[in-house]
Amino acid sequence: MNDLKRYIREVPDYPKPGINFYDITTLLKNKEGFRLTLDRFHELFADQQIDKVVGMESRGFLFGPPLAYDIGAGFVPIRKPGKLPAVTHSQSYDLEYGTDRLEMHRDAIEPGERILIVDDVIATGGTAAAAGELVRACGGDIVGYGFVIELSFLDGRSRLGGAPVSSLLTY
Ligand code: AMP
């Protein structure tokens, strides 16, 4: 299952010293790599009766929509503050220094809909946990979380409240 790792570019000390950045642009640009990634997600989620895939700005927008199309679901964007035009739910989350917020349209999800949350990387899990809160605020049923890459040493999955977490690659 680790064959996808060959498509990931690791960039040491980016964006700052001590951070190892996992760059998925090298996977996206490669036709085998991109297809394999979506095939893996398909195997995990095609049979889960998912109504909507939720993706976080901005790299969740690269994998969420093709996956949603593939499994016959809708796609819902979660965005940085002030980007969505209609009424939103808003959720703050902790950064290394300070906090930030994510927003989702209140009418994006109906109560009881089956939701899959997708992003490229789960690190500390703060972003994904905030996305989960936004889905719950609408009454959505979180079927699971899907990531291309999980940084397991940061144990982000422990912040996701017990919902199933699937990662294609673990570092
Ligand atoms: P977190 O909220 O800490 O789980 O961070 C997740 C978000 O930050 C994801 O949307 C990733 O795109 C990005 N991210 C965090 N750490 C890395 C990393 N080492 N390499 C690439 N992206 C990262």
Side-chain angles (χ1 to χ4, degrees), residues 19-22 59 93 119-128 151:
I19 303 287
N20 200 35
F21 192 88
Y22 295 88
R59 291 193 288 272
Y93 63 106
D119 205 355
D120 66 333
V121 175
I122 178 169
T124 66
T127 308
L151 306 186

Side-chain angles (χ1 to χ4, degrees), residues 27-146:
L27 179 150
L28 287 168
K29 75 174 182 181
N30 183 286
K31 58 188 175 189
E32 285 90 17
F34 191 38
R35 177 171 291 278
L36 199 52
T37 303
L38 287 163
D39 287 350
R40 291 279 162 75
F41 276 140
H42 179 97
E43 286 163 22
L44 289 167
F45 302 121
D47 296 335
Q48 303 247 3
Q49 288 85 44
I50 288 160
D51 294 306
K52 286 168 181 161
V53 176
V54 169
M56 292 81 102
E57 182 172 357
S58 55
R59 291 193 288 272
F61 296 178
L62 300 171
F63 297 100
L67 173 60
Y69 175 82
D70 174 62
I71 63 176
F75 176 75
V76 172
I78 285 181
R79 299 215 58 187
K80 304 273 170 64
K83 301 285 189 182
L84 290 169
V87 183
T88 60
H89 285 299
S90 181
Q91 179 68 43
S92 65
Y93 63 106
D94 291 330
L95 298 173
E96 194 176 354
Y97 303 103
T99 62
D100 206 348
R101 265 185 317 127
L102 289 173
E103 295 181 347
M104 187 177 78
H105 276 145
R106 288 190 181 210
D107 64 1
I109 290 171
E110 304 299 323
E113 282 191 311
R114 292 172 62 79
I115 305 299
L116 171 67
I117 297 172
V118 167
D119 205 355
D120 66 333
V121 175
I122 178 169
T124 66
T127 308
E133 288 304 316
L134 289 170
V135 170
R136 277 190 277 272
C138 287
D141 175 12
I142 301 173
V143 175
Y145 294 81

